[in-house]
Amino acid sequence: MMRIVSVVGARPQFIKVAPIANAMPQGIDHLILHTGQHYDEEMSQIIFDELKIPRPIDNLKVGSGSHATQMSALLVSLENSFLKLAPDWILAYGDTNTTIAAALTAAKMNIRVAHLEAGLRSFNRKMPEEINRVVTDHLSDLLLAPSLTAMANLSKEGLQSKAVLVGDVMVDSIRSAEAILGSKVQKESGVPYLAATLHRAENTDDPERLTKLIGALASSPVPVRLVAHPRLVAKTREFDIPLSQGSILVEKPLSYLSMVELMLESVGVITDSGGLQKEAFLLKVPCVTLRTETEWVETLEGGWNTLDPDGDILSTRWWAHERGSADRTVYGDGRASERAIQAILVA
Ligand code: UD1
């Protein structure tokens, strides 16, 4: 029986493995291996429980640390696991340190690697995720691309022969979430608010930049419900920057469904996350992205997503402007997981 091992470790990967596990046909031995990059209950277990993700075969408990510390722990532990599990395929997700470590370990062991969410590029090598994406794509045997833009990026790097357009598995997830939430969502009731997240190293790790961005969120004319990633909380403590300022209401990390609901009921989303920008776009909620560029360029169409690296427009009623039309089918039809699995089976 073919054995596929999905290697996951960080929150966005749990959200992506859920529809894959769900779509896995009988006769495939699909195992989930958790690296333990994210370990807080609210960053990991809550998502597994809510999305009914099968229990991982193991948790490698690599934890946090500098890139070198985390990467070396990942490489050693993954090699041990792959030796024991003897997979036919490794499935790596997205762009975290868990992703690149899984691809590198497997490639060195001559185990075939498929990369889900291949071909995304910000063209900003200062982002750790960009290094992870480029290297993972070049190491992989099969590149499962979410969009035509991703396919074009892979082509430009000479990788087209390994690439398959399958669509984005996050569309699969968000469509199921919308179906579950259904009529529960009441956008018009209550006080209008913005839903916000901030966690990228480029934004959190420089005290001046972080002070500026928190100040911009605080200046909002309506409340900003800031769902605080542990990295943000750790960095504000380290730099002694107060998080509860002005319009900011600090909240703990939420489960996937609660986050989708928070976005659906908001008047707008402010984020530096890749996933959230795209989810806002799919849910037709206007978004401001606190970055200079985006990998998900299609979200910019019709003004649904605005790049504002310093948060300059956050003191205005930016969400109230009319938005243009945008093609929301660019990321697929909600059946990307089936196609991704099929692509592995025929590769
Ligand atoms: C990682 C990914 C990023 C992804 C994000 C999703 C890398 C390089 N980055 O960033 O691409 O968008 O996950 O959330 O892989 N921490 C905790 N508890 C946890 C996990 C982290 O307290 O369960 C804190 C620690 O202070 C840790 C810091 O967050 O040092 C950073 O964690 P790390 O896994 O290095 O990266 P993320 O910022 O989560």
Side-chain angles (χ1 to χ4, degrees):
M1 197 189 288
M2 182 191 279
R3 173 169 279 185
I4 303 174
V5 175
S6 280
V7 181
V8 295
R11 186 171 52 178
Q13 293 162 337
F14 311 145
I15 293 161
K16 288 167 202 158
V17 77
I20 289 283
N22 216 9
M24 205 51 83
Q26 295 282 325
I28 304 291
D29 182 19
H30 178 234
L31 302 175
I32 297 173
L33 181 61
H34 193 321
T35 63
Q37 180 174 344
H38 285 173
Y39 43 85
D40 285 352
E41 191 179 351
E42 55 215 9
M43 296 297 284
S44 175
Q45 195 55 48
I46 285 182
I47 314 275
F48 272 82
D49 292 345
E50 182 182 69
L51 300 181
K52 301 189 173 65
I53 303 168
R55 224 182 133 79
I57 181 89
D58 200 3
N59 185 322
L60 306 178
K61 300 204 167 101
V62 298
S64 304
S66 69
H67 283 274
T69 307
Q70 196 175 55
M71 284 296 297
S72 50
L74 280 162
L75 294 175
V76 173
S77 313
L78 284 168
E79 187 181 59
N80 274 325
S81 286
F82 294 173
L83 279 171
K84 275 189 260 166
L85 298 172
D88 298 296
W89 279 95
I90 289 298
L91 184 51
Y93 296 73
D95 56 16
T96 73
N97 285 349
T98 287
T99 316
I100 184 177
L104 181 55
T105 308
K108 293 264 186 187
M109 295 173 77
N110 286 324
I111 301 168
R112 295 207 282 175
V113 187
H115 181 209
L116 190 83
E117 216 178 70
L120 291 186
R121 296 291 182 267
S122 66
F123 304 101
N124 175 1
R125 290 278 173 112
K126 287 199 179 121
M127 291 176 73
E129 292 82 3
E130 182 74 354
I131 309 287
N132 294 346
R133 291 181 197 121
V134 172
V135 175
T136 302
D137 283 340
H138 283 263
L139 288 171
S140 296
D141 301 283
L142 177 62
L143 299 168
L144 304 166
S147 63
L148 284 168
T149 307
M151 288 294 281
N153 289 337
L154 292 169
S155 251
K156 279 182 215 139
E157 292 176 31
L159 298 172
Q160 65 276 18
S161 63
K162 300 194 286 181
V164 182
L165 178 65
V166 295
D168 183 0
V169 297
M170 286 181 75
V171 177
D172 307 13
S173 301
I174 206 137
R175 295 299 170 233
S176 335
E178 279 182 301
I180 294 166
L181 293 168
S183 54
K184 219 175 132 204
V185 174
Q186 296 175 333
K187 196 172 179 113
E188 307 308 329
S189 69
V191 184
Y193 68 87
L194 296 159
T197 74
L198 184 66
H199 80 284
R200 285 210 178 269
E202 313 87 88
N203 285 338
T204 58
D205 291 11
D206 169 29
E208 244 176 74
R209 176 144 187 82
L210 185 56
T211 303
K212 186 171 190 177
L213 289 174
I214 291 175
L217 290 170
S219 74
S220 169
V222 298
V224 175
R225 292 177 63 179
L226 177 59
V227 183
H229 185 289
R231 178 182 203 115
L232 173 67
V233 175
K235 289 292 170 187
T236 49
R237 286 206 184 118
E238 183 186 329
F239 304 143
D240 208 9
I241 305 169
L243 201 46
S244 296
Q245 303 183 23
S247 300
I248 301 176
L249 305 168
V250 183
E251 303 197 12
K252 282 194 164 179
L254 294 174
S255 75
Y256 175 66
L257 281 179
S258 306
M259 192 66 212
V260 172
E261 191 177 353
L262 187 84
M263 282 193 275
L264 270 171
E265 292 183 353
S266 73
V267 292
V269 169
I270 307 165
T271 192
D272 58 358
S273 144
L276 246 59
Q277 296 168 49
K278 193 180 48 196
E279 284 164 349
F281 176 74
L282 294 169
L283 297 171
K284 301 192 179 129
V285 181
C287 179
V288 164
T289 296
L290 300 171
R291 285 178 48 197
T292 43
E293 73 285 305
T294 176
E295 309 75 38
W296 302 102
V297 287
E298 298 84 355
T299 61
L300 301 171
E301 207 186 325
W304 286 91
N305 187 13
T306 306
L307 296 173
D308 183 21
D310 297 331
D312 294 330
I313 63 170
L314 297 185
S315 60
T316 70
R317 299 178 67 82
W318 59 270
W319 63 89
H321 307 305
E322 194 66 22
R323 258 79 196 169
S325 64
D327 179 7
R328 288 188 170 74
T329 64
V330 283
Y331 298 125
D333 58 2
R335 294 179 59 196
S337 309
E338 283 166 47
R339 281 195 208 94
I341 296 166
Q342 210 45 47
I344 297 174
L345 298 185
V346 301

